[in-house]
């Protein structure tokens, strides 16, 4: 039952991500990570024994802890990527704002000259 | 020598309507021939209008960016309009326009000239964590610049064409970017620095940034800014 629920949620999330990429509201470079995560969760939901195998292989005693650790690392990566992106956007808007201010002054000077 | 040079006064202003008129009038009175650029940093009052009526060129940023952001725009304007020298001046009247000539004279033998508030003139005093921060910064940046500097966080400073070009390439918009970061990056890009003693007047309006907690945060961020800027890659045409 729980497997069915996880599979359903994963498919819905994947559908939303893909639809967003199609309509251009989500850039492919940000969607990629979410799709990878969704596929991984889907595989684990279909073959739950895989998690136990992985846990033994990694030397983790409780399989669910492997899942939690992986989730934390992935989310850390995502939020770091977002911080980097926000910083980049900030520097872009800053440059644009500077150009707007310069252009605004230049336009006003031209208008004053023509009057 | 200065008569042939194009000199720009850059004045960042954020909601300074109460004081900027007097500051510009005092500036006009003591240095009538200088071009004045007011960078209106997203003010919600009529700072821009007052500045324009006082005869200054006004650039209006669409939203508030902080002193660092406003200064970078000022230097970009100076760069694109071919100015030989630029000097920063606070809008709140703390900087005495009578000192401008002195600071510009400092550019005869350095790329950046800082109006230092502790260097014997005036009665500018700070205490506690803020003082420690200023002392540490002055010591570290003096070593970096290979010259004796006592006040590295002064916003009353001038630079020549080389400094302007360097600022446009590297001018930072971070916290304290307008003072420490810009200075460290400029020195590392090969600019020379000197300081000139100036007096500071009390603020004509607005509220100063003080208080022990704020000062401690200032200390921590200042030291962080210093350390991070020692390691930043320095780009631009000079390096």
């Amino acid at each position: 039952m729980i497997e069915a629920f996880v599979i359903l949620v994963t498919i819905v999330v994947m559908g939303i991500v893909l639809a967003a990429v199609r309509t251009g509201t989500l850039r492919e470079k940000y969607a990629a990570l979410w799709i990878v995560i969704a596929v991984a969760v889907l595989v684990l939901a279909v073959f739950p024994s895989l998690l136990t195998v992985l846990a033994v292989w990694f030397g983790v005693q409780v399989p669910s802890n492997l899942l939690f650790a992986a989730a934390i690392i992935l989310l850390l990566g995502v939020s770091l990527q977002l911080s980097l992106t926000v910083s980049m956007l900030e520097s872009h808007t800053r440059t644009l704002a500077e150009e707007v201010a310069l252009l605004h002054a230049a336009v006003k000077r031209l208008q004053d000259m023509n009057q | 020598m200065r008569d042939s040079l194009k000199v720009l006064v850059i004045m960042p202003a954020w909601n300074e309507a109460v004081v900027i008129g007097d500051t510009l009038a005092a500036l006009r009175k003591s240095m009538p021939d200088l071009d004045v650029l007011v960078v209106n940093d997203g003010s919600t009052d009529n700072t821009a209008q007052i500045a324009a009526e006082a005869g200054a060129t006004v650039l209006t940023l669409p939203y508030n960016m902080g002193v660092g952001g406003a200064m970078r725009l000022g230097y970009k304007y100076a760069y694109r309009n071919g100015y030989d020298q630029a000097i920063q001046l606070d809008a709140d009247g703390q900087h005495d326009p009578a000192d401008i000539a002195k600071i510009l004279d400092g550019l005869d033998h350095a790329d950046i000239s800082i109006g230092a508030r502790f260097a014997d003139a005036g009665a500018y005093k700070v205490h506690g964590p803020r003082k420690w921060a200023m002392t540490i910064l002055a010591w570290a940046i003096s070593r970096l610049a290979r010259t004796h500097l006592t006040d590295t966080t002064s916003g009353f400073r001038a630079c020549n064409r080389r400094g302007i070009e360097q600022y446009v390439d590297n001018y930072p918009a971070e916290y304290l970017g307008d003072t420490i970061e810009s200075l460290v990056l400029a020195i590392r890009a090969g600019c020379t620095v000197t300081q000139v003693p100036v007096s500071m007047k009390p603020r004509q309006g607005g509220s100063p940034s003080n208080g022990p907690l704020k000062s401690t945060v200032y200390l921590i961020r200042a030291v962080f800014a210093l350390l991070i800027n020692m390691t930043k890659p320095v780009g631009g045409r000079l390096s």
Side-chain angles (χ1 to χ4, degrees), chain A residues 93-95 97-99 101-102 105, chain B residues 59-60 63 65 72-73 76 80 173:
Chain A
T93 48
R94 192 176 286 279
T95 306
E98 287 170 357
E99 296 300 331
L102 289 166
Chain B
L59 292 180
T60 295
Y63 54 91
M65 287 193 190
R72 191 173 81 161
L73 175 57
K76 203 178 242 185
R80 293 199 185 164

Side-chain angles (χ1 to χ4, degrees), chain A residues 41-113:
Chain A
V41 171
L42 204 59
V43 170
L44 284 179
V46 177
F47 308 104
S49 55
L50 204 62
L51 186 64
T52 321
V53 176
L54 283 174
V56 171
W57 194 74
F58 276 107
V60 180
Q61 295 193 337
V62 185
S64 58
N65 279 350
L66 177 64
L67 202 62
F68 293 143
I72 289 170
I73 291 168
L74 276 173
L75 291 177
L76 207 65
V78 170
S79 54
L80 188 64
Q81 186 200 23
L82 290 178
S83 298
L84 291 171
T85 308
V86 167
S87 300
M88 188 190 71
L89 290 175
E90 236 174 69
S91 100
H92 288 176
T93 48
R94 192 176 286 279
T95 306
L96 286 175
E98 287 170 357
E99 296 300 331
V100 167
L102 289 166
L103 286 173
H104 188 87
V107 168
K108 198 172 171 306
R109 201 161 47 236
L110 286 174
Q111 279 175 340
D112 291 347
M113 269 163 61

Side-chain angles (χ1 to χ4, degrees), chain A residues 26-46:
Chain A
L26 179 63
R27 292 279 307 278
E28 171 250 301
K29 61 176 174 176
Y30 303 111
L33 189 56
W34 291 116
I35 292 170
V36 169
I37 293 171
V39 169
V41 171
L42 204 59
V43 170
L44 284 179
V46 177

Side-chain angles (χ1 to χ4, degrees), chain B residues 214-236:
Chain B
K214 266 191 176 171
S215 296
T216 308
V217 172
Y218 175 89
L219 170 67
I220 293 166
R221 293 183 77 171
V223 171
F224 179 76
L226 179 68
L227 292 177
I228 207 88
N229 286 302
M230 303 284 282
T231 61
K232 257 188 193 171
V234 180

Side-chain angles (χ1 to χ4, degrees), chain B residues 95-180:
Chain B
H95 298 154
D96 189 346
D99 289 325
I100 289 177
K102 258 204 296 185
I103 295 180
L104 290 176
D105 284 341
L107 294 177
D108 290 346
H109 51 88
D111 297 313
I112 296 170
S113 175
I114 302 173
R117 294 162 289 185
F118 304 108
D120 305 329
Y124 182 77
K125 282 198 174 64
V126 288
H127 306 281
R130 184 166 287 260
K131 187 175 176 175
W132 309 335
M134 289 175 137
T135 309
I136 295 170
L137 292 169
W139 174 80
I141 296 177
S142 292
R143 288 203 52 175
L144 199 65
R146 296 201 186 88
T147 178
H148 183 61
L149 303 173
T150 50
D151 183 16
T152 50
T153 54
S154 169
F156 200 8
R157 58 176 68 181
C159 66
N160 61 13
R161 183 72 190 171
R162 188 174 181 202
I164 292 171
E165 286 172 2
Q166 192 285 135
Y167 273 46
V168 172
D169 288 334
N170 289 325
Y171 206 86
E174 298 279 355
Y175 181 74
L176 290 176
D178 55 307
T179 53
I180 299 165

